[in-house]
Every structure is written in C-alpha cells, then in structure tokens.
Amino acid sequence: MMENHSFKVDKTRVDAGLVSAYNVQIPARIEGYTPLDPSYALHTTPVNKRFRTFPSMVVYPKTAEEVADIVKAVHTATSSTSASDQSHNESPIRIVVRSGGHNYAAFSSGFEETSEAQEKDAGRADGMGKGVHPVIVIDLKHFDTIEYDEQSQIATIGSGTRLGKVSEELYKRGRALPHGVCPNVGIGGHVLHGGHGFTSRAWGLAMDRIVEMQVVLADGSIVTASNNDDKHKDLFWAMRGAGPSFGVALSFKLLTFSAPPTNVFFLYEWDAVRTSDATNAFLEYQKWLPDVPAELSTGFMFCRGEKKGYVHVWFSGQYLGPIGSFHATVAPFFGQLEPYLDFSHIKQGQKLNPKHAGQDPSFKVEECTFERALFYLGDGTGDSDTFYATSLSVPEGGELTEGQVRALLAHLLESSESSRANGKEEEIHWFAMADNWGGKYSQINAVPYDATACIARSNLYAWQFYVRSLDRLPPLPQNAVQFCQKMREVLINSRTGEDADQWAYAGIANYVDVEMSRQEAHRMYYGNKVPRLREIKRKYDPKNVFRYKHSILPAD
C-alpha cells in the first residue's frame, strides 16, 4: 500500500507549469505531488510495474468539495483555451481517477501510450518539464469509509475503500456483497466496470447492488445518481459499466446480503495432465456449467505442466452452503472427469489408476466462514506485479468446440516445450482461467441486458489470460505479451463452421487489455451500447475531461 507522505512541496513551483500552460490552478490546501517533489515516484508507480506513468500531478482530496475544486480548475482551463488550440475544443489536460491503482493497464495512474521519442519530448512545449504528460490523477484513498444502515441493509462505501476492508467490515455485521477476492483492490474501479466475484452467480455483479452513487461531474458539480432520479438516470446507467469516462464516483450505496453461515472453499490440482486428457476434462466442465446451481462458483485453470508434454490443471472456487451439499453437487461432474483426471486422492483406499500415473494430484476442501473463504481465494494475489492480461467471454449457446480447446492447449504446450528445448526455464509464469458466470440459475444473467452499460449478461463463462515475469519485477520479457495475446486469438481464429462469423464473444472490462485500440476495446467491452454511451458523454462531459486510451468519446 502506498506510503502516506506529508505534503511539503512549494505550491508556487508545483503549479507553475500547469498555470502557464493551461491556467489550471489547484487550490493550495489540497495535498498534491508533481515531478518537483522527491517522493513523486512513490505516488506515480502503478500496481502493474510493466508501466511507468508521468502525470503532471497526483492529488489526494479529502472531501467532495476538494474533488469538485480540482475538476473545476481543469474545466476552467478548458473554457479559457481557444478552440483553435485544441481538437474539437477538448480539454488540453485530462483527469483520471484512482481508487486503488489496480487497473491492469495503469489507466487510473495516468498511463499514456507514447513512443520513446515522444516520451523524451513530452511536456517541453507547455512548460511541464521533460517527460511529463498533461494528466492529473485524483487519488481517492481518503474516501475509505463504510457506513451500514440496519433498517435498509444498505452500506455506504467510499470509492477508495479496499475490497478486503469492505468484506471485513460487512462481515462484522453479518453482511456481504458480491465482489472480487483481491483484498487490496479499490472498490471504485472494480464496481464501475462490473465487479465479478465467486458469489456473483448467486448475487449478481457488484454493480448490480448499487442503488445510488455520489458523482462529481466534469463541470465540478456534485450530483446523486440513481434509478429514482429522473434527472440523472442516464448517468446512473452509464456509470455502471463505463464510469471512469463520466465523472468521479465518490461513494456508493449498495444493498447487501446476509453472509451465509457456512461456506466451502475448494482447490483441486493435477501437476501433469496430458493435453488430450486436459481437453476432454475442459469439455466436460463446459458441458456441466449450464446446470450448476447458483451457490457454486468455479474456476478451471491451465498452467505450465511440471513435465514435458503435460499441463497443470486447477479446479477451484467457493460454495455457499455446507460441505455435504458441496460434495453432492460436484460428485456427478467428478464422475465425468474420472476418465481424464485422477481422483484416487478423494476416494480413500483406492489404488492409483495406472492411466493417470504421474498426475500427482492434490486437493484442499474446507468448510469455513464466508470471510475465511474469501481469504483463501485471495491468498497470494499480492499488491504489485509485472504483467499483461486479456480476456474472452464465451456466450451461452456459443460454447467452444473441441477444435478450439485443442488449439488453445497446443499453443500453451508449445510455449513450455520451446523453453525446455532451449535448455532453460521459462522467464514467465502464466495461466488461462475460465470462471463460470452463467447457466440457468445465474443472477448475473438474470439482470436485463439494457439495465446497465455492462454487456456481460449472457456469458456462460469468461477466460482470463495472464502472464507475468517470474519474479514479478520489470521488465516483462518481450515475447510474453504476444504469447498471452495468442491465447485469445487461437480461440477466435480456430472456430469453424456456419456460426464462426456470428460467434458472439466479448471481453471483460475489469481485465482491460492495454494493447487493444479504442475501437476494439469498445466492441469487446461495450458492444452495441457505445452510441448511447457517447450521447450521454456529450451531455455530461462534452470537453472530454475524463479520458484515457479506452474511454468513451463524446458524440459528434
């Protein structure tokens, strides 16, 4: 977690470049850091250390009014700059919002894609200094309060609150929300892009629990958006799925659930599985998913195998109920897997099946509290990494073919074998994980498609493809990004048959892919909702103050 340094910067020097170039005057009472401050790097290093960011300023407001003053300062600069000096009267300086800093592409930390030459020259013409980009990062770490109303069962949560604190504080009251398991992630960016977790099939996405939010708009006004407010109902729709393009969400009111008294955490893994068996096992998993009860959420994951010609298989997740019910639920599925995976470690006293020799299976199944299950699921996620990730959602009725699964596993195996052939270990760690989202009992897909800006309402499951440096430190090896991208591409390109051109795959906005263009990202994350989003953007942020590589643009 970022250190809390006292603010000791000379504000006259700090703001000189901003004032001379853009007439942006940040009030001196607001804590902020620029390249002139010796601790600048501590405030600008993103969680994903693959990137370096060089914002003009990082500010830490403590009140809604301070956030409004920062936004007004940028909006005023927009108004005082002639249209001829900027594209379509666009703000010459942009704002991004950071609730935890875990955005996969470092967009919330001000990442700006430039060439090496541009990076060296950035800012020279506008007085901001070598290598500095015209972006202000509003960090919401001070907005980390949680209040709970017993009568309404609604929790009011500040946007900078970390998910670990959210689950801990709510659990003390016997309550819970659907959200991810990484404890250091800020709820703001997580919930505004969806917020999927292991309870989502039973409870919906985190965004589906929002009943109201407080937002600072591009002109500095502070509004409350909800479905009960006709004036800002369109804003409420857009914020739930594409929020960072429209304003600064300061806090959320979310309707909570009763935390289930009994839960099961489970993890099964097999160190060395033949790709043919892994293919068939995954096809059985895919076949099983439509009928899985809402109480059970799972991840099926491939990693590098411990032996040549093999892959490592994981099956893990959470069950909302007692361990006896869990075993009864998964038993038929495990029976379908037995021809391909060794389950002798579950059936005590049974001899190892010679067909599975070398799989070295292990497992952990524990009945525990809701809080303990989240701890297990989030264990080892860490607070910094050097990685690239992308995603692919598979729609209900559009399941992968056997040829697609074989193509994916052939690609995964090829990378491992190439490293071994060169006589060295891989410099990277990777995984391909398919989390179940849909099925006939899913509360994610029960939400009407047009209810929010999120398009993830018909997924059967969603892949996350992830690659990181072995020691989690930069740099990420050059070929790692291409290897990970190809995980997604082989699934898309290997689909054959009459429906190949109409296959309705998409992406997951929480797993944002920095390598995608704006056009590709909009298709993958927002689909046919982009035109409506652009109209709402023109209404609330016509100067495009809130922008980043994939942000929604105002309608022409």
Side-chain angles (χ1 to χ4, degrees):
M1 187 172 293
M2 186 178 294
E3 296 180 35
N4 185 15
H5 292 269
S6 60
F7 181 43
K8 300 178 180 178
V9 182
D10 180 343
K11 291 296 291 184
T12 303
R13 293 176 62 228
V14 163
D15 290 346
L18 288 170
V19 172
S20 63
Y22 310 121
N23 195 28
V24 175
Q25 301 187 51
I26 306 297
R29 71 180 186 280
I30 300 174
E31 179 184 356
Y33 300 86
T34 74
L36 297 175
D37 190 279
S39 63
Y40 175 77
L42 292 173
H43 301 278
T44 59
T45 301
V47 170
N48 187 353
K49 293 184 177 179
R50 180 186 171 208
F51 305 107
R52 295 186 302 161
T53 63
F54 304 95
S56 303
M57 198 173 198
V58 179
V59 289
Y60 295 91
K62 296 181 178 179
T63 65
E65 290 70 27
E66 288 189 349
V67 174
D69 286 344
I70 295 164
V71 177
K72 284 177 186 175
V74 174
H75 192 263
T76 301
T78 301
S79 302
S80 64
T81 306
S82 65
S84 61
D85 293 335
Q86 38 188 302
S87 174
H88 304 292
N89 204 26
E90 184 178 80
S91 169
I93 191 164
R94 61 191 181 92
I95 290 176
V96 295
V97 184
R98 186 169 70 190
S99 60
H102 288 72
N103 182 276
Y104 277 17
F107 291 152
S108 63
S109 297
F111 176 68
E112 187 165 318
E113 200 167 47
T114 59
S115 68
E116 186 175 350
Q118 287 174 320
E119 186 175 289
K120 289 180 179 178
D121 292 336
R124 287 182 177 176
D126 57 22
M128 283 311 303
K130 181 178 179 181
V132 180
H133 298 135
V135 54
I136 293 177
V137 176
I138 297 179
D139 189 295
L140 298 177
K141 73 172 185 178
H142 295 303
F143 292 77
D144 65 344
T145 58
I146 300 176
E147 298 175 358
Y148 177 68
D149 180 73
E150 292 280 356
Q151 184 173 359
S152 66
Q153 299 180 341
I154 287 175
T156 303
I157 303 177
S159 191
T161 312
R162 307 299 176 114
L163 295 182
K165 180 177 178 180
V166 170
S167 61
E168 181 181 347
E169 292 300 316
L170 290 181
Y171 188 71
K172 291 177 182 178
R173 298 165 172 84
R175 310 302 295 178
L177 285 167
H179 56 69
V181 297
C182 300
N184 292 315
V185 168
I187 195 173
H190 181 69
V191 72
L192 292 176
H193 285 123
H196 176 268
F198 279 97
T199 57
S200 288
R201 294 187 65 255
W203 297 345
L205 299 174
M207 70 162 58
D208 299 330
R209 307 309 298 171
I210 303 174
V211 297
E212 181 180 295
M213 65 179 79
Q214 186 182 50
V215 184
V216 176
L217 300 179
D219 62 0
S221 59
I222 304 172
V223 302
T224 298
S226 73
N227 271 331
N228 298 321
D229 173 24
D230 289 337
K231 185 177 181 180
H232 299 113
K233 186 178 291 187
D234 56 352
L235 176 67
F236 188 60
W237 179 87
M239 290 291 292
R240 290 173 298 154
S245 293
F246 294 90
V248 185
L250 301 178
S251 64
F252 309 94
K253 290 185 181 296
L254 302 107
L255 184 60
T256 64
F257 286 93
S258 175
T262 309
N263 295 257
V264 177
F265 164 78
F266 60 93
L267 168 62
Y268 301 85
E269 57 179 313
W270 297 264
D271 287 345
V273 180
R274 297 179 182 90
T275 55
S276 58
D277 286 335
T279 297
N280 288 320
F282 185 81
L283 290 172
E284 291 294 341
Y285 174 68
Q286 181 178 246
K287 189 188 305 181
W288 175 62
L289 290 181
D291 297 315
V292 172
E295 294 78 15
L296 179 62
S297 282
T298 64
F300 195 105
M301 184 163 66
F302 298 122
C303 301
R304 183 174 185 258
E306 299 300 319
K307 299 179 181 180
K308 181 178 180 180
Y310 295 81
V311 292
H312 190 135
V313 174
W314 291 54
F315 176 68
S316 62
Q318 180 179 7
Y319 180 77
L320 306 180
I323 196 166
S325 297
F326 164 73
H327 284 310
T329 299
V330 298
F333 171 54
F334 285 177
Q336 296 301 114
L337 292 182
E338 282 198 58
Y340 317 113
L341 299 175
D342 174 36
F343 280 86
S344 61
H345 57 308
I346 299 173
K347 300 178 179 180
Q348 295 183 6
Q350 178 176 315
K351 293 182 179 179
L352 180 67
N353 186 338
K355 181 181 186 305
H356 303 308
Q359 283 193 5
D360 191 20
S362 63
F363 74 104
K364 178 181 179 67
V365 181
E366 181 178 321
E367 186 175 276
C368 56
T369 64
F370 182 80
E371 186 179 33
R372 189 66 177 172
L374 288 182
F375 170 78
Y376 283 140
L377 290 163
D379 189 31
T381 54
D383 198 35
S384 68
D385 209 343
T386 300
F387 69 94
Y388 165 75
T390 189
S391 63
L392 186 78
S393 61
V394 175
E396 293 180 331
E399 290 83 353
L400 296 186
T401 65
E402 181 177 342
Q404 286 177 286
V405 181
R406 290 192 184 282
L408 173 62
L409 282 159
H411 169 60
L412 299 180
L413 189 63
E414 179 184 7
S415 170
S416 296
E417 297 312 303
S418 176
S419 296
R420 288 189 173 101
N422 292 328
K424 63 177 183 179
E425 291 297 309
E426 282 189 303
E427 299 173 310
I428 58 174
H429 172 78
W430 55 264
F431 66 78
M433 179 167 63
D435 291 328
N436 67 331
W437 283 54
K440 63 182 69 173
Y441 306 109
S442 171
Q443 293 305 301
I444 302 172
N445 294 357
V447 175
Y449 178 78
D450 290 326
T452 69
C454 174
I455 65 171
R457 300 302 179 183
S458 60
N459 297 336
L460 179 60
Y461 58 92
W463 287 99
Q464 180 181 185
F465 305 115
Y466 189 102
V467 61
R468 66 168 173 84
S469 60
L470 208 55
D471 60 2
R472 299 185 182 270
L473 299 174
L476 186 65
Q478 187 65 29
N479 61 348
V481 172
Q482 291 81 1
F483 165 65
C484 192
Q485 284 178 311
K486 194 173 179 181
M487 296 185 198
R488 174 171 57 91
E489 290 169 2
V490 295
L491 289 180
I492 296 172
N493 297 332
S494 62
R495 191 171 185 90
T496 58
E498 295 180 358
D499 71 336
D501 293 336
Q502 287 77 43
W503 190 40
Y505 64 85
I508 304 300
N510 284 119
Y511 305 147
V512 60
D513 182 344
V514 69
E515 302 297 327
M516 286 186 184
S517 66
R518 176 179 273 114
Q519 182 179 10
E520 186 178 11
H522 283 188
R523 189 191 76 75
M524 292 289 281
Y525 306 140
Y526 307 117
N528 62 1
K529 299 185 180 183
V530 171
R532 183 181 177 189
L533 285 167
R534 293 192 65 187
E535 290 294 336
I536 297 171
K537 176 75 168 181
R538 178 169 63 181
K539 175 181 176 181
Y540 289 101
D541 186 13
K543 306 294 185 183
N544 204 20
V545 170
F546 300 108
R547 68 180 188 269
Y548 52 95
K549 183 179 178 181
H550 292 168
S551 61
I552 302 297
L553 298 175
D556 296 331

